[in-house]
Amino acid sequence: MSGRTMRRQVLWFFLVLYVSSGLGQVSYSIPEEMPSGSLVGNIAQDLGLDVKRLKSGKARVYTGDSAGYIQLNKERGVLLVKDRIDREAICRQTTPCALHFQIILENPMEFYSVTVEITDINDNPPTYEKNEVSFKISESAVIGATFVLDRAIDLDVGKNGLQKYELKPTDNFVLKRDSHGDGTEKTEMILQKPLDREKEELVSLVLTAFDGGDPQMSGTIRIFITVLDANDNAPVFSQSTYTATVFENAPEGTAVTSVTATDADHGANGRIKYSITNSLDQAHALFQINEDSGEIRLIGNIDYETARNYHINIRASDDGGLTDSCKVIVEVVDMNDNKPTINIMSKSNVISEHSKPKTVVAMMNVQDPDSNENGKVNCFINDNTPLTIMSTSNKFYSLVTDSELDRERSSEYNITVTCSDEGVPSLSSSVTLTLQISDVNDNAPVFERSSYEAYIVENNTPGLSVFTVKARDADWNQNARVSYILEDSSVNGVPVSSYVSVSADSGVIHAVRSFDYEQIKDFHFRVKAQDGGSPPLSSNVTVKILIQDQNDNPPQVLYPVQTGGSLVAELVPRSADVGYLVTKVVAVDVDSGQNAWLSYKLQKATDRALFEVGSQNGEIRTIRQVTDKDAVKQRLSVIVEDNGQPSRSATVVVNVAVADSFPEVLSEFTDFTHDKEYNDNLTFYLVLALAVVSFLFITCVVVIISVKIYRWRQSRVLFHSNLPVIPYYPPRYSDTLGTGTLQHVYNYEVCRTTDSRKSDCKFGGAGSQNVLIMDPSSTGTMQRIQSEKSILDEPDSPLEVRLQSLY
């Protein structure tokens, strides 16, 4: 054992290491049987790679289906022996013997082919299958008769393989070695001196086989020869070499071929027996020969991928011990019995939608051990994917993108790679890869409409939700999160933020103020939708708000003008005919639409049978002939109504004097003055009633204050007498709504900023603003905080309005 270790150390010392780097290929040469951890080569240096690249690229050794004998040390950038390497177990008699594998790198994906040649060392001596062999040779055997000997087997190759034989003693026989063109040889024992059974009936020889290694190794076999009586004719084969073919995977018992030998002798000396001698390819374990007929049949399973041909050495022996030999070469015909094997060397599960075409997604190695057409492989992928498969080198494929990716069109692809050979029938295998497309913020929000138009009725409550704008973003997650922003603009010189606000999250538009149709009928502004990507993308839309009119204005009478002190009367002559135009009531309504449609009615009249009012034009005309019996003074009360719901109205009094001359009118003037005095008396009584009510109110206030003072003094007395103090909350009165008294204050807060994205409106929030201070010096006092600001005073600055209503 120590001698073998010494030899390995010497071989390692004289290791021939060669590196050929070209197109990403490196080759090394090492002897077999090196201990685990031995250095193979500095792969980082030979490939021109930095050790950091090996670490960042997650470098690894890819061997496919082969066993891994070599490992990569990423820290040092070297290749090391991983497991024991036995050249004879890996390559048998094949030379040169080499290990092929790839170094795989990621980010970006790369691979390099590495070849490690395994050189032979003399670790196997020549051996024989048997320890001894027997021959029966007639004493009459002629000089020069040949006897085929079993061949020694040496698993080593080259000079370490079998080199020579030595036969001892050499009194009667000498050795002869014949080499064949296929690299095999035949060893024969030639009779050089006649045998004499009477002198020596049993001859014992020793055949020794030597290899050329250092130190030299050998193996022996003992030969026992029984000398028989004369048998002067040896068997002779009809051919020295036979050829046959057999399909791989043929069933056991399949007839392969037959060999024929003849012997000129008669009787027992002419009876021939066939046998298979030892061979390197273990043919005796797969084939069997009928010792009588010479028919060769299959007794094992043959595989083209294991061995493509077999050399069978056949020996024919007669009972006299004479022999002849021939060789049968059996060619194995390949069958398409192996499906392509797909090995994923490296793959990416996620790829950005902005990846450029020809981006490598996966690398694969495809193997088919069959030969010729059966081993030719074509790979393809399923349709409707933006990828293609490319052959980078023999048996290596890359899956790459061949067009632009769009996550919004498809966020995931299931890619089926199918590889089929060209055999008949064709065999195939497939593997499915899942590729997810990561999102990039490449889509701006899109509003559901190109523009919006909304209506709001005037006199609305501040904070009223008008309508909602909605935008959608085709991206995903944060890139699809939409925020709404009110763009800066002005309406009639006032910032639009004092009119409306936009909820940043929901897109709901609120009215910040109460609108008046008579002041503003419509206005425009723009809302921007912005996503949460980086950088953010945005789009905007125009919103038009139209104020709808309410019937909030009564008609206004323009004529006749109502004056407080003077009287105006329309003069109608007594000769007026039917339909005579007395006057026309002119009124307007500042509302619009049907709210401004006016109608006129005669509400009261001194003589309803004399006058009528046009319902549409307000014209007052006579409906009969004026007579002398008609009173000079006529008083008409005309009501003007609009068409709103509910309708509003105004009343105008028209004084008409029926007379032919002005003196007749003056005679009735005092009556008109009497009416004025009547109105003055009515005013006097109303003022008097108001004074009485005011007096009663002041009296009640004085009484209530007196009661408060009395109770306060009582509480002070109770406090100094160490009795429990029950604080009294004096009532507060409010005539804001005139509905009574409550002991709570309700606050309504309106908050607004110029940037509607940063703030919202809150309406209807109620809370008490009263602070009650209880201490010995100020028991029962109450501090009250009240602040009032107008929403419209400062529209360009953030403000807070707190309205306190006391019920």
Side-chain angles (χ1 to χ4, degrees), residues 490-533:
S490 61
V491 178
N492 297 330
V494 178
V496 72
S497 57
S498 65
Y499 287 86
V500 292
S501 66
V502 180
S503 174
D505 296 326
S506 63
V508 176
I509 297 179
H510 293 93
V512 174
R513 64 193 297 177
S514 179
F515 296 105
D516 188 354
Y517 176 85
E518 286 70 42
Q519 294 182 3
I520 181 171
K521 291 179 173 54
D522 61 71
F523 60 94
H524 299 76
F525 59 91
R526 297 179 70 83
V527 176
K528 179 170 70 174
Q530 179 173 290
D531 61 27

Side-chain angles (χ1 to χ4, degrees), residues 162-198:
L162 181 64
Q163 298 295 323
K164 66 179 181 176
Y165 292 91
E166 184 178 286
L167 181 65
K168 292 183 179 181
T170 60
D171 297 335
N172 298 95
F173 298 90
V174 293
L175 285 177
K176 179 184 178 182
R177 298 176 65 185
D178 289 333
S179 298
H180 298 283
D182 57 0
T184 62
E185 63 178 17
K186 179 171 66 174
T187 304
E188 296 176 325
M189 184 174 61
I190 301 176
L191 182 65
Q192 68 174 355
K193 180 181 178 181
L195 296 174
D196 189 354
R197 189 186 64 82
E198 286 72 22

Side-chain angles (χ1 to χ4, degrees), residues 618-635:
E619 294 179 351
I620 300 177
R621 294 179 180 271
T622 58
I623 58 178
R624 63 175 174 81
Q625 181 71 41
V626 180
T627 64
D628 295 337
K629 296 180 179 180
D630 292 325
V632 175
K633 181 184 67 175
Q634 296 288 334
R635 181 183 179 92

Side-chain angles (χ1 to χ4, degrees), residues 24 58 136 225 316 326 385 400 501 626 697 720:
K58 301 179 181 178
K136 294 179 180 181
I225 301 174
C326 72
T385 61
V400 300
S501 66
V626 180
F697 173 79
H720 290 291

Side-chain angles (χ1 to χ4, degrees), residues 11 42 167 171 187 351 434 469 471-472 545-546 633 680 690 717 766 773:
L11 287 171
N42 192 326
L167 181 65
D171 297 335
T187 304
I351 186 173
T434 299
V469 293
R472 302 185 183 277
I545 301 294
L546 296 99
K633 181 184 67 175
D680 293 341
L690 180 60
V717 173
I773 301 176

Side-chain angles (χ1 to χ4, degrees), residues 565-692:
S566 61
L567 294 177
V568 177
E570 301 294 335
L571 184 62
V572 177
R574 291 187 180 274
S575 59
D577 294 331
V578 177
Y580 177 81
L581 177 61
V582 178
T583 187
K584 182 177 182 179
V585 177
V586 179
V588 295
D589 196 321
V590 294
D591 292 325
S592 66
Q594 65 179 8
N595 295 328
W597 296 350
L598 301 181
S599 61
Y600 303 85
K601 295 180 182 179
L602 183 61
Q603 185 181 32
K604 294 180 181 181
T606 305
D607 188 354
R608 280 185 172 273
L610 182 58
F611 300 99
E612 67 175 357
V613 179
S615 61
Q616 300 299 324
N617 53 23
E619 294 179 351
I620 300 177
R621 294 179 180 271
T622 58
I623 58 178
R624 63 175 174 81
Q625 181 71 41
V626 180
T627 64
D628 295 337
K629 296 180 179 180
D630 292 325
V632 175
K633 181 184 67 175
Q634 296 288 334
R635 181 183 179 92
L636 307 179
S637 178
V638 178
I639 183 171
V640 183
E641 290 183 336
D642 58 26
N643 199 36
Q645 294 295 329
S647 64
R648 293 177 175 270
S649 63
T651 304
V652 61
V653 175
V654 179
N655 294 308
V656 178
V658 179
D660 290 327
S661 61
F662 187 73
E664 292 183 44
V665 178
L666 291 180
S667 64
E668 298 293 332
F669 182 77
T670 55
D671 294 335
F672 285 101
T673 306
H674 174 73
D675 291 341
K676 181 178 180 300
E677 290 176 356
Y678 170 79
N679 291 334
D680 293 341
N681 291 335
L682 180 59
T683 302
F684 170 78
Y685 291 124
L686 290 175
V687 172
L688 179 61
L690 180 60
V692 172

